[in-house]
Amino acid sequence: MTRRVVVTGMGGVTALGTDWPGIRARMARGETAVRTMAEWDRYEGINTRLAAPVVDFSVDDRYPRKKTRTMGPVSRMAVYATERALADAGLGDDPVVKSGRTGIAYGSSFGSPAPVIAFAELMTEGRSKTLNATSYIQMMSHTAAVNIGLFFGVTGRIIPTSSACTSGSQGIGYAYEAIKWGKADVMIAGGADELDVTESAVFDTLYATSTRNDRPHTSPRPYDRDRDGLVIGEGACTLILEERERALARGATIHAEVMGFACNSDGNHVTQPQAETMEIALCMALEDAGLSASAIGFVNGHGTATEWGDIAETAATHAVFGERAPIHSLKSYFGHSLGACGAMEAWLGIEMMRDGWFAPTANLEHVDERCAPLDYVMGEPRRLDVEHLMSNNFAFGGINTSLVFRRA
């Protein structure tokens, strides 16, 4: 018999703040976190100067040096988001965290890029001035998951998810499955990524970044006919998932229920998304949730503001929902936070569902005629009474994920 899974804790670090009331207020004012990175002028061959950084974040006065020496910025944000989420769940000092029945499913597209320099020096110069015992720990792709486990003394299963833009959503999905099938009672789930010019360079070489460098407030523009590419952001988000009966027995606040999850791959091309397999992923998530498409009241879109990504995603969404389901993209506010986006968008989607208030896609003024006809939320926030929300993410390599949440 399968078990029901609920969300009892949420915490995050975003470029618009670390708490939902503050983030909502800034979004309601139409603010986005995108700015021009003048410090990137030193890099030749990089066209974009836009990014959405987390400003003034530090845990130096919060955590002892002994705890942070294995952490790069991505792990520090992940650990802080997890601390907030555990506190929100009322599990900050609960013995279950160290009992072996709590696990971690957490992802990032990469670790911290800076330590790579130490290994590059070794390879190119035959010696390294900066290589030390923590260099690899900080840069490895599962650094966030490992550092969360070390910091909080977690002894249960660790599921690292390093799958670019689906890292965070895979983390939530695999955590849900671990509890559903009785392998854990509590799971720390989510994703994180730190901003670095190398990440923007990846997309810049593909001509996929926005170059509205003197107009940062106008980009990115998901689904818009005048979009010119994505903007890279950063952040971290952690959800605490828990077996429903356990959560009820201890009187926990339940924010939402995880109803379904699906993940598949295109099996076709590294960077050319396929609407057909995206559609299958959405249908699989609905099947896992035991719901029809008509039950979904809102779709949290991936919406990167890349041409073929937007077109394929909207075609898949239309194939499942037709024109009826409202949709938006939160990347218009935070940029593309890569490994963090799936978890961050799930958190904010749950908050919006609870409030009955959904932000419009920022900068969406004229829907691209090549995008499928959907109910795009644009211009003004939308007041909606939503019981079920779907959150979708799609990544390099043709990896597709879909999560379904029910309002508590």
Side-chain angles (χ1 to χ4, degrees), residues 34 62-63 66 91 176 194 242 297 349:
V34 179
R62 188 176 189 87
Y63 305 147
K66 185 177 180 180
L91 294 176
Y176 152 75
E194 69 182 77
E242 193 167 350

Side-chain angles (χ1 to χ4, degrees), residues 175-252:
Y176 152 75
E177 290 180 340
I179 297 173
K180 179 180 180 178
W181 296 105
K183 305 301 181 182
D185 296 326
V186 177
M187 289 291 290
I188 296 167
D193 253 316
E194 69 182 77
L195 179 64
D196 188 84
V197 69
T198 56
E199 293 173 332
S200 289
V202 169
F203 294 92
D204 207 72
T205 60
L206 296 169
Y207 303 101
T209 53
S210 174
T211 56
R212 293 179 173 227
N213 297 328
D214 58 344
R215 295 167 291 162
H217 61 286
T218 68
S219 196
R221 309 175 70 86
Y223 315 126
D224 193 272
R225 74 181 185 194
D226 297 319
R227 67 185 174 280
D228 72 327
L230 57 74
V231 174
I232 297 297
E234 66 179 335
C237 179
T238 301
L239 302 187
I240 304 301
L241 306 191
E242 193 167 350
E243 192 271 321
R244 181 175 179 271
E245 295 307 312
R246 185 187 189 282
L248 290 172
R250 70 181 185 86

Side-chain angles (χ1 to χ4, degrees), residues 360-405:
T361 300
N363 298 317
L364 177 54
E365 298 174 344
H366 306 284
V367 176
D368 187 339
E369 293 180 354
R370 295 169 299 170
C371 288
L374 300 171
D375 183 9
Y376 296 94
V377 180
M378 50 194 289
E380 299 291 335
R382 184 92 54 96
R383 288 281 184 181
L384 293 168
D385 183 16
V386 170
E387 185 175 1
H388 296 100
L389 174 139
M390 175 178 279
S391 192
N392 301 322
N393 294 104
F394 312 103
F396 270 7
I399 303 171
N400 309 310
T401 60
S402 181
L403 288 160
V404 177
F405 298 97

